[in-house]
Amino acid sequence: MHILNVNHSLALKMGGGTAERTFQMSHFLAANSNVECSVLVLDLDLDQSRINSIAPAKVIALPCISKRFYLPWPNIKTIMRLVKKVDVVHLIGHWSILNAFVYCVCRFYKKPYAVCPAGALGLFGRSTTIKRLYNFFVGNAIIRNAALWLAVTKDEFPQFERYGIIETDITVIPNAVNQQDFKNYDIDKFRENRNLPDVPFILFMGRLNPIKGPDLLLEAFINSREMLANFHLVFAGPDGGMLAQLKDMIKKHNLDKIVHFLDYVDGEEKSSVYRCASLLVVPSRREAMSIVALEAGICGTPVMLTEQCGFGDICGVDSRLEVSATVEGLSKGMVALLSDPAELGLVAAGLKEYIENRYSWPVISPVYIDLYKDVLSDTDQP
C-alpha cells in the first residue's frame, strides 16, 4: 500500500501541532513493512535533519512563492506523478492551496482520499472572506467528496456537519506522541544554558498568541501569587503577537525576576524543560487536541489544561487536570494541584501510563492502515 500525506508544512516551529502530527504519522506508517509513505509539503523552514528524521517516509517539497498564503509553485506534473502512483491520499488541514491542487488531481485519477482538518474546519481567524471564497470554489467539494473523514476529537463533529457530513461517517483518530523523542535530556545543563534558577516553575509551551491563552495564564499566576509564592513561571515558545503585552503585564506587577521567556525550544531542550517543570499548563481558548499535553505527560510531568483543548479524556486520570478557560479556573486549578507535591507525583505517574497505553504512535498508526484497507476494499467493489 502506498500512501501520500499532504500538508503545507512539516516545520514544527511554523506548522505547530498539525506539522508534528503529519511528521509522526508518516514516520510510523512508513515503518510498517507493508506500507510505503510519501509526504508532499512546501519547503518553508524545512531543514535536512527534519527530512532525515521522518525516514523511512519520503519527503517531496515544493517551492513556496507566498509565505503569507502558503502558495506553492504550481508544479502540476509533480503532483500528478505522485498521485497517480499511490493508493490513498491523506489531506491534512483544510485552508490549503496545496491540498486544493492535490484534490483536483485525485478527482482526475479517481483516487480515494481522506481529509483531516485537524480542528481547523470552521471559519475563524484572519481572511474570513478569502476562506469563504475558497470554500465556494473548492473547499466544500474537498470535504464532501472524500472517502474518509477524520477528526482529532468529537468536538469537530459540528464543523463537519456544516458541510453535510453526518457524525456516523466520521472517524476520530486522536493525536499521539512518540516516547523515543523524549529519551535524551539534561536538566542541569538546560537550566545553566537558559539562565533558569534552580526553583520550581509552572510551564507554558506554545506560541504566544491569543488562541493559546498565555495572557490568561499570566493573569491567573499574578492573582495566585500568595499561594504560589515558591513558583516561577516559564513561557517556552515563539512570539505570536503577544510578547510585548505579556512583558508589559510583568513590568506592571514587578515580576521580571520570576517570569521567564525562553523563545522556541525543541529536541533535547524540550525534553529537559518538560522534566524541569512542576506543572505544564495549557490555557488555550481553542485547540483541536493538545500535543504538548501528551509530550509533557509522556515525560512524567503533570498537566493541567482547559476544557477547550480537546482532551477531556484526561479527566479519566484526575478530574482536576481539566479546568475552565478562565483566569479564575486556571488560578484555582494551579493552586489545587500544586498544594500537595506528593499527590501530584502520583497523578503524573498515572497520566504517563495512560498516555503510553492510549496515545502512543505504535498504538495509533495501525488504525490508519486498517481504515485505508477498508477504503481500498470498497473502491475495488464493482
Side-chain angles (χ1 to χ4, degrees):
M1 184 193 311
H2 193 166
I3 301 162
L4 175 64
N5 289 330
V6 185
N7 189 19
H8 70 265
S9 176
L10 276 183
L12 187 55
K13 186 174 181 179
M14 183 187 75
T18 305
E20 184 63 10
R21 179 184 173 103
T22 305
F23 179 92
Q24 296 290 352
M25 173 181 61
S26 303
H27 171 75
F28 278 92
L29 287 175
N32 187 295
S33 59
N34 297 317
V35 173
E36 184 178 353
C37 185
S38 302
V39 192
L40 180 63
V41 297
L42 302 183
D43 62 358
L44 281 172
D45 298 333
L46 184 62
D47 59 68
Q48 190 60 45
S49 63
R50 187 77 164 162
I51 294 173
N52 294 341
S53 298
I54 202 173
K58 300 175 182 177
V59 176
I60 301 92
L62 298 180
C64 179
I65 59 177
S66 171
K67 190 172 183 178
R68 168 67 175 85
F69 296 103
Y70 302 120
L71 183 63
W73 182 262
N75 194 334
I76 299 300
K77 286 186 178 180
T78 296
I79 296 174
M80 293 184 73
R81 174 176 53 81
L82 287 170
V83 173
K84 184 178 181 179
K85 72 178 182 179
V86 304
D87 299 302
V88 181
V89 175
H90 186 156
L91 303 177
I92 301 102
H94 180 61
W95 311 109
S96 166
I97 301 299
L98 177 61
N99 285 12
F101 284 157
V102 175
Y103 160 74
C104 294
V105 178
C106 285
R107 296 291 284 174
F108 179 80
Y109 285 121
K110 298 181 180 179
K111 294 285 184 177
Y113 67 93
V115 290
C116 179
L121 191 52
L123 287 167
F124 60 86
R126 300 181 299 174
S127 307
T128 300
T129 301
I130 294 176
K131 289 178 178 178
R132 291 185 189 278
L133 289 171
Y134 175 88
N135 268 351
F136 177 80
F137 286 106
V138 69
N140 290 330
I142 291 175
I143 300 300
R144 291 168 183 166
N145 292 323
L148 273 175
W149 298 274
L150 305 180
V152 179
T153 73
K154 291 182 179 180
D155 294 340
E156 294 180 70
F157 286 178
Q159 297 179 18
F160 275 103
E161 288 171 356
R162 294 187 188 101
Y163 290 77
I165 310 304
I166 61 176
E167 179 178 319
T168 53
D169 287 338
I170 305 167
T171 302
V172 175
I173 304 183
N175 286 328
V177 65
N178 180 17
Q179 188 171 11
Q180 299 305 309
D181 288 342
F182 299 93
K183 291 184 66 175
N184 300 323
Y185 61 93
D186 189 330
I187 292 175
D188 294 334
K189 178 182 175 183
F190 176 76
R191 284 189 180 272
E192 180 181 354
N193 290 344
R194 292 290 189 155
N195 295 316
L196 283 179
D198 189 10
V199 297
F201 64 80
I202 299 162
L203 176 65
F204 171 95
M205 175 72 71
R207 296 188 311 278
L208 303 178
N209 68 17
I211 290 177
K212 297 293 184 181
D215 55 320
L216 297 178
L217 175 57
L218 179 56
E219 191 171 344
F221 180 75
I222 291 169
N223 291 351
S224 307
R225 281 304 303 134
E226 290 185 8
M227 291 168 283
L228 299 175
N230 295 326
F231 293 89
H232 285 206
L233 177 61
V234 171
F235 289 97
D239 183 19
M242 295 197 75
L243 180 60
Q245 176 186 336
L246 296 173
K247 287 189 172 182
D248 286 343
M249 291 175 64
I250 291 166
K251 185 176 181 180
K252 178 180 177 181
H253 293 276
N254 297 315
L255 298 176
D256 305 70
K257 294 183 179 180
I258 63 171
V259 180
H260 312 271
F261 293 93
L262 304 185
D263 202 354
Y264 179 71
V265 297
D266 195 14
E268 184 176 307
E269 281 202 323
K270 180 185 277 192
S271 181
S272 299
V273 74
Y274 280 140
R275 288 176 167 85
C276 282
S278 299
L279 176 69
L280 172 77
V281 178
V282 188
S284 298
R285 291 179 167 94
R286 183 188 55 78
E287 192 155 345
M289 181 185 177
S290 176
I291 289 181
V292 298
L294 297 177
E295 293 175 345
I298 208 72
C299 291
T301 301
V303 176
M304 187 188 81
L305 42 71
T306 71
E307 83 276 310
Q308 300 300 317
C309 290
F311 195 16
D313 289 354
I314 201 172
C315 292
V317 177
D318 193 300
S319 60
R320 294 173 297 174
L321 300 185
E322 186 180 65
V323 299
S324 63
T326 63
V327 171
E328 182 180 10
L330 291 165
S331 180
K332 288 182 177 179
M334 287 190 294
V335 171
L337 286 170
L338 293 168
S339 62
D340 190 338
E343 185 179 358
L344 187 58
L346 295 176
V347 172
L351 178 61
K352 186 175 189 292
E353 182 180 5
Y354 187 77
I355 292 173
E356 287 174 345
N357 293 335
R358 290 172 177 256
Y359 298 102
S360 64
W361 275 110
V363 172
I364 297 296
S365 59
V367 178
Y368 284 102
I369 297 173
D370 290 342
L371 283 173
Y372 297 151
K373 286 179 179 178
D374 290 343
V375 166
L376 292 174
S377 176
D378 291 342
T379 304
D380 290 339
Q381 297 300 317

